[in-house]
Amino acid sequence: MRTVRELRLAGLFAYLASLVIALLLSLALHLLLGGQGELGWEGFNAYGLLEGLLFLLAFTWSLALGQRATRIPCSTLLTAGLFGPRAAKRLARPLARVEGVEAYEGRGLALLYQEGRPVGLLGLSDHILPLEEVPSVEAETAVTELAPLFFQHPIVLVVQGEEVLGAVPREAYFRYLGA
């Protein structure tokens, strides 16, 4: 699972690589045409339009290729990494802490603690779900990286070291994505 910082850096590098590729291809065409292309600098001609069109096509193609290769969100790629997805800890909802099963009131999700350590999750089914069966991610993991986990599980725990910060339910994840 990648962090927000890693996705932002990948977006920056993919954007810059696309820009360099498009500029180099446009320069190559400019040199092939004998330097006659003028697009807004000193004049305007058909060669300049051809160079500009090649730049746009190469930039768009390399951006699409970069997005497929790095699997980063479109907004992160198009802003050159300025806007990244949220961290999982910002989308996580806090969970109630229960020291024993008898203290659980049956409303919502709760973490079952024994001897000061979390051991299970209450509220998803009729029984206690051990924490080993619930997927968990680090707090700085990008929210967009959680998609594969939600195909099999309705909830993902957000942890920082040994501490459980909260949980991201499937509904909150899809609401974040706008679906």
Side-chain angles (χ1 to χ4, degrees):
M1 297 280 164
R2 297 179 293 179
T3 65
V4 174
R5 184 168 188 232
E6 291 170 345
L7 285 177
R8 290 179 70 183
L9 279 174
L12 175 65
F13 291 146
Y15 185 88
L16 291 176
S18 298
L19 187 63
V20 167
I21 288 170
L23 285 172
L24 288 175
L25 288 175
S26 181
L27 176 66
L29 181 64
H30 180 75
L31 295 175
L32 281 174
L33 297 175
Q36 296 177 3
E38 298 173 353
L39 184 61
W41 294 107
E42 295 176 12
F44 190 72
N45 62 10
Y47 291 138
L49 282 176
L50 189 60
E51 290 173 13
L53 183 64
L54 177 66
F55 175 84
L56 285 176
L57 290 174
F59 187 63
T60 304
W61 172 78
S62 58
L63 276 176
L65 188 65
Q67 184 182 22
R68 264 189 241 130
T70 57
R71 294 181 354 257
I72 56 177
C74 189
S75 59
T76 304
L77 178 65
L78 293 178
T79 61
L82 290 177
F83 296 111
R86 283 186 178 176
K89 70 179 176 184
R90 292 192 59 204
L91 198 61
R93 296 180 183 161
L95 296 172
R97 294 178 70 159
V98 177
E99 292 297 330
V101 178
E102 59 278 347
Y104 179 63
E105 297 175 2
R107 285 181 277 157
L109 294 172
L111 271 176
L112 177 63
Y113 277 78
Q114 284 182 349
E115 299 172 6
R117 299 193 61 175
V119 293
L121 189 63
L122 299 168
L124 277 180
S125 58
D126 294 338
H127 61 281
I128 300 169
L129 195 61
L131 281 186
E132 295 82 31
E133 293 181 19
V134 182
S136 62
V137 296
E138 284 294 322
E140 293 301 320
T141 301
V143 172
T144 55
E145 297 290 303
L146 304 180
L149 298 175
F150 284 117
F151 289 133
Q152 297 177 352
H153 305 282
I155 196 163
V156 174
L157 294 178
V158 178
V159 298
Q160 191 165 23
E162 293 288 320
E163 179 187 0
V164 178
L165 298 178
V168 179
R170 185 182 291 154
E171 297 81 29
Y173 173 75
F174 286 122
R175 211 172 317 122
Y176 168 76
L177 292 180

